[in-house]
Amino acid sequence: MARVYNFSAGPAVLPEEVLKEAAAEMLDYRGSGMSVMEMSHRSKVYDKIIKDAEQDLRDLLQIPDNYKVLFLQGGAHMMFAQVPLNLMKNKKAAYIVTGQWAKRAHKEAGMYGEAIKVASSEDKTFSYIPDCSDLEIPEDADYVYICENNTIYGTKFKELPNTKGKILVSDVSSCFLSEPMDVTKYGVIYGGAQKNIGPAGVVIAIIREDLITDDVLPGTPTMLKWKTQADADSLYNTPPCYGIYICGKVFQWLKKQGGLAAMKEYNEKKAAILYDFLDQSKLFKGTVEPASRSLMNVPFVTGSDEMDAKFIKEAAEAGFVNLKGHRSVGGMRASIYNAMPIEGVEKLVEFMKKFEAENA
Ligand SMILES: *Cc1c(COP(=O)(O)O)cnc(C)c1O
């Protein structure tokens, strides 16, 4: 068995310990005589799995009691629609567009009401986070929307926008559980699991209770109404059972690592190794304004498409895979999520140094 260093942006690397545990439990989950994939979502055994997962997530993020945790399906994209369907009472919302995913969310919201772009960083290919301390937020906006970590462009909000008292909705797909968050600053936090938490197929939403109501846009499908899901504790229909089980294992793994404060420290250390190298390299260059750099996704380029391709190919041969940048931007991108060990980044930088020397 040879595991590679997987720098994929998502679906992405998971902790080896979690995969081994899941493998050991594959045929007989703790004396149940069956795999978690084969059991009823209404069984006692499964009920404990989903309840424990929720509790561990609550512990990790210190989620207050007046917030619900929902395990949903449909990817982050389904949330692009669920947010306006459930929140756009005045049919008006403010969107901060800092990348491809925020752009998609903004466009989707436009189908249901007035989605106003109050800030954007598209003028410089989304390479920075705009100043959001004093934006013009309409008086009757239902919420302010951000994508907190921009997976494709490698930027992250270091400070939350001043929403002028409006509800903040945040897509945290690619920075979920990478560092502590103050949940009370948000109305809705959500993320697809496949970046930093677990397998594709699960979306986790943390929603302030007063935002979960029957007052949704007319025609909202039953399944997309948060109240349906909240009233049934995410078991209105069959949830992505196996995915939730793996997420639960990752939560336990995170607790064992010391929780989110410890992860933040580890992630900062990891990212610094790569950024420090990029800052002094003569061949490779980071593409993001330093103040907006993400700890999770690190895009970089050589300045030549041929050299980029050569690097990606030789890196893959050396066991560093999925370093190709997103198809919309090209170049390289190293995603260094929670489960990427520090050795992976150290060895990647060693390889980059060697490549630079050979191609000077
Ligand atoms: C990957 C990603 C998405 C899209 O996720 P899907 O689950 O494929 O819908 C949305 N937002 C962010 C920040 C992402 O990283």
Side-chain angles (χ1 to χ4, degrees):
M1 184 195 71
R3 300 261 304 159
V4 291
Y5 286 114
N6 179 7
F7 294 93
S8 169
V13 58
L14 286 171
E16 209 166 292
E17 213 177 301
V18 165
L19 297 175
K20 281 185 177 149
E21 240 183 71
E25 292 173 346
M26 183 58 77
L27 295 181
D28 176 9
Y29 177 75
R30 302 190 185 173
S32 65
M34 61 181 87
S35 152
V36 173
M37 261 181 265
E38 302 168 294
M39 61 180 58
S40 164
H41 58 296
R42 312 262 175 224
S43 65
K44 258 209 179 101
V45 188
Y46 192 75
D47 196 59
K48 182 164 164 48
I49 291 173
I50 191 167
K51 292 261 162 61
D52 285 352
E54 175 174 342
Q55 190 55 55
D56 286 333
L57 179 65
R58 284 186 174 278
D59 295 346
L60 283 166
L61 277 168
Q62 297 175 303
I63 301 175
D65 287 343
N66 65 324
Y67 283 76
K68 289 270 188 198
V69 172
L70 303 180
F71 294 99
L72 305 171
Q73 309 189 49
H77 278 78
M78 196 67 105
M79 290 299 290
F80 296 168
Q82 282 176 67
V83 166
L85 285 169
N86 285 273
L87 295 181
M88 252 192 188
K89 327 272 177 203
N90 294 328
K91 300 236 174 172
K92 196 180 279 185
Y95 277 73
I96 298 174
V97 178
T98 51
Q100 205 63 35
W101 301 126
K103 212 171 161 174
R104 284 250 176 109
H106 171 248
K107 187 167 173 226
E108 188 75 11
M111 292 173 53
Y112 303 104
E114 209 182 329
I116 300 162
K117 199 195 288 180
V118 292
S120 165
S121 53
E122 194 160 15
D123 59 334
K124 289 184 190 158
T125 344
F126 298 119
S127 60
Y128 69 102
I129 298 292
D131 176 5
C132 298
S133 58
D134 188 20
L135 300 174
E136 265 182 56
I137 313 285
E139 204 49 56
D140 55 345
D142 292 301
Y143 58 88
V144 176
Y145 183 99
I146 61 169
C147 176
E148 202 155 327
N149 185 80
N150 296 279
T151 325
I152 296 174
Y153 302 94
T155 61
K156 159 112 206 289
F157 279 82
K158 302 291 160 89
E159 229 172 287
L160 293 177
N162 175 358
T163 65
K164 313 261 169 100
K166 306 295 175 208
I167 297 157
L168 179 62
V169 176
S170 180
D171 174 356
V172 298
S173 295
S174 49
C175 59
F176 221 169
L177 307 185
S178 63
E179 56 184 274
M181 283 175 91
D182 181 355
V183 174
T184 63
K185 296 217 159 90
Y186 303 79
V188 180
I189 297 169
Y190 77 86
Q194 76 272 22
K195 307 287 161 69
N196 207 18
I197 296 185
V202 185
V203 180
I204 299 169
I206 301 164
I207 309 175
R208 214 174 65 205
E209 247 165 17
D210 60 293
L211 304 176
I212 302 175
T213 67
D214 280 315
D215 180 20
V216 297
L217 294 191
T220 298
T222 310
M223 276 287 290
L224 302 187
K225 196 166 132 182
W226 291 335
K227 182 124 191 343
T228 308
Q229 303 286 358
D231 285 351
D233 292 325
S234 305
L235 293 166
Y236 175 72
N237 75 327
T238 320
C241 301
Y242 196 79
I244 294 168
Y245 153 78
I246 298 290
C247 291
K249 285 204 178 300
V250 172
F251 300 154
Q252 287 188 357
W253 178 81
L254 287 168
K255 279 182 148 179
K256 252 194 270 171
Q257 308 308 303
L260 301 189
M263 283 324 294
K264 178 175 200 251
E265 206 178 303
Y266 190 61
N267 287 327
E268 281 173 345
K269 211 163 129 191
K270 265 189 319 192
I273 295 170
L274 192 44
Y275 284 124
D276 287 349
F277 169 70
L278 289 172
D279 284 344
Q280 58 76 58
S281 169
K282 293 203 166 52
L283 179 65
F284 299 102
K285 245 195 288 314
T287 57
V288 170
E289 214 170 72
S292 302
R293 285 171 168 175
S294 163
L295 294 180
M296 298 282 100
N297 311 97
V298 183
F300 54 94
V301 295
T302 64
S304 142
D305 290 348
E306 292 89 76
M307 191 63 86
D308 287 352
K310 183 169 191 267
F311 173 76
I312 291 160
K313 180 169 173 283
E314 290 182 18
E317 284 161 6
F320 307 100
V321 309
N322 289 321
L323 280 166
K324 199 169 184 326
H326 190 268
R327 57 198 145 81
S328 66
V329 289
M332 281 75 70
R333 171 179 51 173
S335 294
I336 49 176
Y337 296 121
N338 283 342
M340 172 57 67
I342 199 158
E343 301 79 53
V345 179
E346 285 166 350
K347 286 185 181 159
L348 172 66
V349 167
E350 259 170 57
F351 178 81
M352 289 168 79
K353 281 182 184 160
K354 186 167 140 277
F355 185 90
E356 181 170 332
E358 286 166 4
N359 293 276

